[in-house]
Amino acid sequence: MNAISQLGFDVTRIRRDFPILSEKIRGKDLVFLDSGASAQKPVVVMEAMLHAMQHQYANVHRGLHWMSERTTEAYEETRDSIARLLNAADRSEIVFTHNSTEAFNLVAHSFGRGVLKPGQAVVVSEMEHHANLVPWQMLRDAHGVELRIAPITDAGELDMAGLESLLGDGKVGLVSITHMSNVLGTYTPAERIVKLAHAYGAKVMLDGSQAVVHRAVDVQALDVDFYTFTGHKLYGPTGIGALYGKRELLDSMPPFMGGGDMIGSVTYQKSTWAETPHKFEAGTPAILEGIGLNAAIKYVEAIGYPAIAAHETALTEHALARLSSIDGVNLFGRAQDRGGVISFTLDGAHAHDVATLLDRQGIAVRAGHHCAEPLMHRLGVQSTARASFGVYTTLEEIDALADTLVRVREFFQ
Amino acid sequence: MNAISQLGFDVTRIRRDFPILSEKIRGKDLVFLDSGASAQKPVVVMEAMLHAMQHQYANVHRGLHWMSERTTEAYEETRDSIARLLNAADRSEIVFTHNSTEAFNLVAHSFGRGVLKPGQAVVVSEMEHHANLVPWQMLRDAHGVELRIAPITDAGELDMAGLESLLGDGKVGLVSITHMSNVLGTYTPAERIVKLAHAYGAKVMLDGSQAVVHRAVDVQALDVDFYTFTGHKLYGPTGIGALYGKRELLDSMPPFMGGGDMIGSVTYQKSTWAETPHKFEAGTPAILEGIGLNAAIKYVEAIGYPAIAAHETALTEHALARLSSIDGVNLFGRAQDRGGVISFTLDGAHAHDVATLLDRQGIAVRAGHHCAEPLMHRLGVQSTARASFGVYTTLEEIDALADTLVRVREFFQ
Amino acid sequence: MFEDLRDLYQEVILDRGRKPHHGRRLETFDAQAKGDNPMCGDRVTVFLRRDDGRVQELGFEARGCAISVASADLMADAVIGHTPDEIRAMAESFVDMARTGVSDDAALETLRPLAGVHDYPSRVKCATLPWAALQAALDGAAEGVATSE
Amino acid sequence: MFEDLRDLYQEVILDRGRKPHHGRRLETFDAQAKGDNPMCGDRVTVFLRRDDGRVQELGFEARGCAISVASADLMADAVIGHTPDEIRAMAESFVDMARTGVSDDAALETLRPLAGVHDYPSRVKCATLPWAALQAALDGAAEGVATSE
Ligand SMILES: Cc1ncc(COP(=O)(O)O)c(C=O)c1O
Ligand SMILES: Cc1ncc(COP(=O)(O)O)c(C=O)c1O
């Protein structure tokens, strides 16, 4: 079986959709293994944004003229696409944000200050991105909500018993956990988390920033209360993301930011708010980015999650096999259920130095704490290098990484 | 003198930079007079964004690899361009936001809750956009800060005596006023406002969303404390804007949103913040949009503010002359110093109906309350129609508006 | 010049928009509710008097465009004498017609001049706002509704 | 394979990065400060003992890459015996060299192997971090600094 059929779809064809992949870095072919930080963009995304700027653009929701109406339709169609992607019950449950970070801040502010009471608690896990930690710390410090940390096992999986013991006193109002770790690749058992939390009366928010890139998500099947992802990791433009929230929850929350488009009526004494989801969308939205994200979602849907997931599994298994066979390479995370993100260190070389040497050969990996400092403490390291995969990643690129790592080790010996 | 030389620059050449202007609307030439809501984009902006997606893209500030370093450089260069555009003393005084609305919410949150004390007051004027009103109402209701409204005169100018009387008791911590009204076109006397407010110990924020499109701004000469504008009105992409703040003020403020990129170090107990301006920039920023905005700023600089201002003056004078000579047309705002935004009503026809009839002829104007409901009350109307101009607007387009308005009046008689 | 707009602004709409028959606050009423269109500041307040389970009288105060005023006025004609359930069904058909431009519901006969709005998506709300307010009044909602879709 | 990286990773940098001469907390010290690179989690804590207005001894604890450790170590060599003012001037020259790759400051002779970082913008901070911490120690800053530029 050759590499391509092994991957479940025609990666050569897919790579043609991403012109950047034929760039040279310092004379070497680009091997882009940093999609977990931000994915490259297919031509259809560029074309959608370009088309809008060339042919059909105006501010949305406000104009009564043709350009504004058509632009509003194009932008609002993205809400339908996101609702379809996540299988939301209703399009009004999709709130546009600028990224997942804003979604967490929105929920920390509107649900955290507006619905949670001082004395209640929020639970996050030991493997959260700072986006799903710092907003809760700020809520804790401003609003007197306790912050609890659910442990992970040494394999890098969520410790479900540990989580349950944090829920025991019934004070927890929200459990906010990643759906897929950006460091360990771990998928968390979302359905079980939701069932458990609901049994103790807590709502659940899942961080789908990584997960939605690799697997189909069904918020109704999960029965999750809030779900977020960020467009630029899903092959879409920067500046756009989404928050899913159950309608009755969103309805119960005060707005986050104030301004145009989120109001019902305004007088100096008192303003009223627009309906969900608009009350959470203040100001001119990321119109062009919404239009670009729609193209990205359709692109992902056209490939299909089964093929994407199969591809990811093949890449991940290959990478784990190749990297673990290199002397001095340490891999982090051994979760049963894991995706295409692999963190590692190399004995005798700091992750930064490793990244710089790889970069010299055109291989882009990330090195650092990956916006997950407390997890680094838990793992007993300051930083790791991380390779992460996209739909366009090939087995050959993983081989290039492995082969070059052998040389890096020699360089630092 | 023909129309073109009258405008101070070659508008025909400029129009070629905006491909959308040759679109047809329902078979008619597009006459786009809604730039005040959002401007069209020149080819250079499209090319900059496209180039990034095709050749040079990765997440910023985080990667150690070539793509990330180059993308960071391109994105951060925009901060330099904005600092130059506003004549900020230092690039660290420029905070990227997603639009001006976010800038107001940032200041209302970080300065409002973090620096202002309950019992202090914030002053806005009677001609503010909701973006510069609702965040202060939310601050008032959450934090016990009083909200005071500075009156405007019947000519639509800021009533400086009225403003001064609000400052008398020394309780005002911040005066937040538009630099140019999006309804009346009024430029406010920014320098005098700042001097006056400072004399009473209040800081000043100016809403430059409209002003910066038409005139050179010098935050140091104004000695203003905060200044904001939004990229999409300045011929840039959506999803990006900027807040200028004096360094020592920004330093004194707590962050707004939490997440990646805004931290110094993170532990469960306590996190510390990155330096200004990064502590206000949580999460993956609007990278592609920043790159697009840089191209827009350079485009505006290449035309030059003197030419832009002369063009705007010529258009505005022509429009005022033509519209005021039409029976039944009522113009709002007679400020001495005014720019290319003209609100009007037509006797016997509601603004919406006017807009729809104009749209039928390809003429795009906005109708409604323009996100300034309290100002509508002050003017004694529910809504107005509004024509607003950009660098690509021609005298002929204004003539088309005026000629068509005559027919609209007939239609409704 | 505006020939093609005649499908939107039919004579009856221009007339009723200018001089509505029911454009007043009722002296006595059982229910009232207002509808706001936050996008543009339009507002319709509906007053109704019921008797015997049927709407006997309907008046409204509107600040809005020709479409919304005419729609409120034609709505009043259409619903008087009907039960809340009948009116709710009518409202549903009407909203559908405003969006799609067509309807086979015979009850909408007198409302058909408003079908032209479907070509102007941002004006659909103008036509449906009075119906939203009326439904709120029937439901006994105090605060009224803000349509933002 | 990595020939071209020899300008960045010169022998002295690999050596000092691996086995720094001054990589320890001083037993007695007059000042200390730490520098954090929030982007990557690197941290250097600098300890210094002054006498007679001059730095007599400098030690550091670092978690970081070869560049930052080597830079801290070469910095220690370079500053011992100098006054705070001299050190501040040296720091300024050094940061300049790290950014541009060149310097005509003779005082930087032994630091020149670090000039190669200028080609790798994200690594410039690695080289300058110890200097930021040292300046904070001289300024008596308690909290230390987080370089984010
Ligand atoms: C004067 C003024 N302020 C603020 C805004 C808000 O801008 P944005 O919606 O881009 O945040 C606008 C435009 O809508 C405006 O005209
Ligand atoms: C798991 C996870 N959560 C949240 C984020 C934050 O995404 P963004 O920076 O787009 O808000 C990221 C990516 O940086 C991530 O990997």
Side-chain angles (χ1 to χ4, degrees), chain A residues 41 45-46 49-50 53 237-238 288-289, chain B residues 41-57 235-240 286-296:
Chain A
K41 319 304 172 203
V45 168
M46 304 177 201
M49 296 177 77
L50 200 62
M53 290 190 264
T238 43
L288 296 166
E289 296 65 35
Chain B
K41 319 304 172 203
V43 168
V44 286
V45 168
M46 305 178 200
E47 281 173 353
M49 296 177 78
L50 200 62
H51 179 268
M53 290 190 264
Q54 285 176 335
H55 300 293
Q56 201 191 85
Y57 176 78
Y235 312 103
T238 42
I240 185 97
I287 301 168
L288 296 166
E289 295 66 33
I291 289 170
L293 178 58
N294 198 11

Side-chain angles (χ1 to χ4, degrees), chain A residues 26 28 350 352-354 356-361 366-370 373 377 382-383 403-404 407-408 411-413, chain D residues 1-9 14 18 37-42 63-67 119-123 126:
Chain A
R26 302 187 164 104
K28 308 275 166 41
H350 187 282
H352 287 190
D353 299 316
V354 173
T356 296
L357 268 80
L358 291 173
D359 182 47
R360 207 69 196 78
Q361 302 303 315
R366 198 173 156 196
H369 56 52
H370 314 293
E373 273 194 65
H377 285 268
Q382 272 86 47
S383 56
D403 294 343
T404 310
R407 316 296 296 269
V408 171
F411 186 88
F412 279 109
Q413 245 158 20
Chain D
M1 193 172 201
F2 296 115
E3 304 70 36
D4 1 11
L5 269 172
R6 289 286 163 197
D7 53 347
L8 180 58
Y9 292 98
L14 288 174
R18 227 178 269 130
N37 182 340
M39 193 191 69
C40 57
D42 277 3
R63 57 169 203 221
C65 59
I67 310 279
D119 246 356
Y120 302 84
S122 59
R123 308 304 304 277
C126 305

